[in-house]
Amino acid sequence: MHVGGIRSALFNWLWARHTGGVSVLRLEDTDRARYVEGAPDQICDSLEALGIKPDEGPREGGKYGPYVQSERLALYAQHAAQLLESGALYRCWCSPERLTKLRAEAQAAGVAFKYDRHCLKPENHGDESAPHVLRFRTPEAPASIGWDDAVRGRLDFKLADLDDFVAIKADTYPTYHFANVVDDHLMEISHVLRADEWLPSTPKHLLLFAAFNWQPPTYAHLPAVLGPNGNKKLSKRDGAQSVQEYLDEGYLPEALRSFLASLGWNDGTTQEVYATDELIKNFTLERIQKSPAKFDKERLTWMNGLMIRQMDLDELLRRTDGFWPPEATNSSLDYRRQVLGLVQERLKFLRELPELTRFFFAEPDYADGLLAAEAASDRYAETSLRDCLAAARQAVENLDFSEASLETALRPLAEAMGVKTGLLFGAIRLAVTGQKSAPGLFETLHALGRETVLRRLDKALKQL
RNA sequence: GGUCCCAUCGUCUAGUGGCCUAGGACACCGGGUUUUCAUCCCGGCAACCGGGGUUCGAGUCCCCGUGGGAUCACCA
């Protein structure tokens, strides 16, 4: 499930929550050729993982089921028969070859394709037992059909431009247009918030509703979500990722919800980040944007980091399951909690956890040459890195390793040695963590404990 | 090409005729706090697509351009 699709799902879900309504998930699997094994589960999983589980659907059930179109074929057949009877639908035996030719002609003429109603003529009727499709007979009147779109406003289309679209395919499955209309009516759908690309086919749906003498739902066509680079619709080519991939990278569901909501919607204030209950409270159709939005991952990442920082430590700890470096496996939960507290303000997404915390669980080996390079740098020309480490080792070897005792031992040491604290602390940090940047030195040393710190200092000393 | 939609900083956006010298946020660039990184704080850069109207007054309303997008299937 794509981020664009999930944004549509989110808006529907928010609107249902906002109005005290019910959100419905319906699987529209009427294209047997494109059916992907496992896709339904993946869709349901994504919605659940994002915390926007529908109220009714294939998994949830509900009184309007089944919620899978391939299980509702009898319903479509029955309604198609009704429209065939009334003359709104007619049989068409035209071959794909003939249609392809017609389409090529239309393109050459510079007009949109419209079926020529060849099979409407009695003399062209085929055998009813032979494979054929059912087309919708676009009426001559009224001249145009339109609706008040909840986000676009009044929209009108001329019937003369509309094609006699296929309602039932040769394999007896309904097309999207037909199944969608029948189901929206049968399931008593009041609001349809769907992507922009459906705009041109909405007149077809309206015509179908009229043919059945049914009341159409309120439509709200959502602006597209564009890829970060071009102005094209978000797609795999643009590096678009599935919801599951974002979750795997350690983006929080609540951050994804807040960010996705901001793509094409805002409440008119300067608030940037929303808790989900605020989203539900403030979400209205009138505030949905008309113009498309680009997916800006940097902004998502910022929002995610912000929410990580603001999260209760124990809650964050629960969310980090599966994100720790393998070396952390045997560590206690208490220790992991302590470590997490030290990196919380640096975490942008959970996948960063290993690189930020590995040294808390594994010995640095200085194999990257950083230690040697630092030792050779001009900064340690006056006082060598080795001297710094040796002095530090001596200063801390008998401490209780509380943060306070470490600080009262090390600050004066720098002064006594006549070096800047940054230089001394940097040396210790590098020896103990193997990195040039890490959480605060005293917190880090305290977390690691005396035994580990001394061992690492000795190891570094030995290599210099 | 036909039909339809859209148009404010690089990006997400505020703006519903005077509160606009166009606001906020991300990113970026400075500065401060600090033992590093990060956080946090302060500051800066940066936009109404163009042209005509309407109006005392237009980012806001109308028209025409221009640009971008969607769609034109027995796919959804």
Side-chain angles (χ1 to χ4, degrees):
Chain A
M1 191 147 196
H2 256 233
V3 293
I6 204 85
R7 202 269 317 249
S8 295
L10 173 65
F11 278 25
N12 277 284
W13 185 85
L14 286 174
W15 179 242
R17 284 284 179 284
H18 177 80
T19 56
V22 169
S23 66
V24 181
L25 173 65
R26 186 169 67 224
L27 259 25
E28 312 204 305
D29 59 343
T30 56
D31 185 347
R32 293 185 300 170
R34 289 205 311 166
Y35 187 79
V36 177
E37 200 63 47
D41 267 334
Q42 201 235 83
I43 290 168
C44 293
D45 287 348
S46 292
L47 293 174
E48 283 175 30
L50 249 205
I52 53 173
K53 196 169 147 61
D55 298 304
E56 291 177 21
R59 281 185 185 171
E60 296 72 18
K63 57 178 175 174
Y64 298 96
Y67 293 88
V68 180
Q69 289 185 331
S70 58
E71 294 170 17
R72 301 171 63 83
L73 263 23
L75 249 20
Y76 308 128
Q78 173 191 327
H79 285 90
Q82 183 190 330
L83 288 197
L84 194 57
E85 178 74 18
S86 75
L89 255 35
Y90 64 92
R91 300 178 204 272
C92 171
W93 289 266
C94 288
S95 68
E97 292 72 30
R98 177 166 194 277
L99 295 171
T100 303
K101 187 169 151 266
L102 250 34
R103 221 167 269 126
E105 285 168 9
Q107 190 167 22
V111 296
F113 170 72
K114 274 182 71 180
Y115 177 60
D116 64 358
R117 294 190 165 173
H118 176 263
C119 291
L120 201 49
K121 300 191 183 81
E123 63 268 32
N124 293 329
H125 279 193
D127 184 347
E128 283 185 20
S129 64
H132 62 276
V133 305
L134 259 33
R135 285 186 184 275
F136 181 79
R137 180 176 178 157
T138 306
E140 284 69 39
S144 69
I145 190 161
W147 73 100
D148 292 307
D149 195 275
V151 346
R152 303 305 172 119
R154 183 69 196 178
L155 258 19
D156 282 286
F157 287 78
K158 285 192 278 296
L159 260 50
D161 295 326
L162 263 32
D163 179 37
D164 281 358
F165 63 92
V166 172
I168 303 289
K169 311 178 207 178
D171 65 3
T172 74
Y173 274 64
T175 59
Y176 169 86
H177 306 302
F178 191 77
N180 186 259
V181 165
V182 170
D183 286 344
D184 278 356
H185 173 75
L186 260 26
M187 294 182 178
E188 296 183 35
I189 301 299
S190 62
H191 291 77
V192 175
L193 317 203
R194 50 154 65 148
D196 230 350
E197 68 209 64
W198 292 107
L199 222 40
S201 43
T202 303
K204 295 173 185 171
H205 306 158
L206 258 16
L207 252 17
L208 237 18
F209 275 105
F212 279 117
N213 205 12
W214 292 339
Q215 191 64 34
T218 295
Y219 287 103
H221 287 90
L222 276 20
V225 178
L226 305 176
N229 313 315
N231 293 321
K232 290 276 184 288
K233 207 166 64 163
L234 193 63
S235 72
K236 285 283 183 205
R237 293 180 77 87
D238 294 308
Q241 292 172 70
S242 69
V243 175
Q244 196 51 54
E245 284 171 304
Y246 280 102
L247 261 10
D248 289 346
E249 276 193 56
Y251 284 89
L252 307 171
E254 56 266 57
L256 250 5
R257 287 195 295 266
S258 180
F259 174 73
L260 253 16
S262 78
L263 253 37
W265 176 85
N266 72 80
D267 69 354
T269 70
T270 58
Q271 186 169 348
E272 306 288 346
V273 183
Y274 294 84
T276 301
D277 57 344
E278 295 176 301
L279 248 26
I280 292 170
K281 184 164 171 284
N282 301 343
F283 189 83
T284 60
L285 266 25
E286 304 81 68
R287 298 293 320 180
I288 295 175
Q289 206 82 12
K290 289 189 179 76
S291 52
K294 287 199 178 80
F295 187 91
D296 182 7
K297 191 175 177 181
E298 301 229 50
R299 195 174 159 82
L300 201 214
T301 302
W302 162 75
M303 208 175 275
N304 202 59
L306 187 73
M307 286 180 143
I308 284 176
R309 267 173 261 137
Q310 293 172 342
M311 191 175 284
D312 172 75
L313 184 56
D314 287 302
E315 174 62 20
L316 183 59
L317 184 62
R318 281 190 284 277
R319 309 284 195 105
T320 53
D321 253 8
F323 287 99
W324 291 93
E327 295 88 344
T329 311
N330 297 320
S331 301
S332 71
L333 197 62
D334 274 350
Y335 183 58
R336 284 209 293 263
R337 183 179 187 280
Q338 188 181 9
V339 169
L340 188 60
L342 297 184
V343 299
Q344 182 171 14
E345 68 180 20
R346 288 149 238 258
L347 259 188
K348 301 270 192 245
F349 48 94
L350 272 19
R351 260 285 257 298
E352 291 184 315
L353 207 48
E355 69 172 271
L356 252 27
T357 66
R358 185 162 275 116
F359 69 85
F360 278 110
F361 308 101
E363 297 293 303
D365 57 10
Y366 318 115
D368 58 7
L370 205 55
L371 185 66
E374 270 300 289
S377 93
D378 290 345
R379 301 169 54 211
Y380 291 97
E382 293 280 309
T383 308
S384 75
L385 200 161
R386 190 171 209 296
D387 288 346
C388 286
L389 294 185
R393 192 201 188 287
Q394 198 172 18
V396 304
E397 67 186 337
N398 293 315
L399 293 180
D400 62 3
F401 264 66
S402 67
E403 288 174 29
S405 69
L406 284 160
E407 181 157 12
T408 41
L410 293 173
R411 278 199 195 280
L413 176 63
E415 198 174 344
M417 293 176 72
V419 301
K420 287 194 167 159
T421 51
L423 193 79
L424 176 66
F425 290 7
I428 301 171
R429 174 177 300 109
L430 184 56
V432 171
T433 71
Q435 302 172 177
K436 291 181 83 166
S437 64
L441 186 65
F442 312 123
E443 295 96 310
T444 301
L445 297 184
H446 169 69
L448 252 13
R450 179 168 55 200
E451 191 190 333
T452 301
V453 170
L454 293 181
R455 185 175 64 244
R456 292 184 184 183
L457 285 173
D458 288 338
K459 184 176 177 185
L461 245 11
K462 221 159 117 186
Q463 294 208 7
L464 288 170

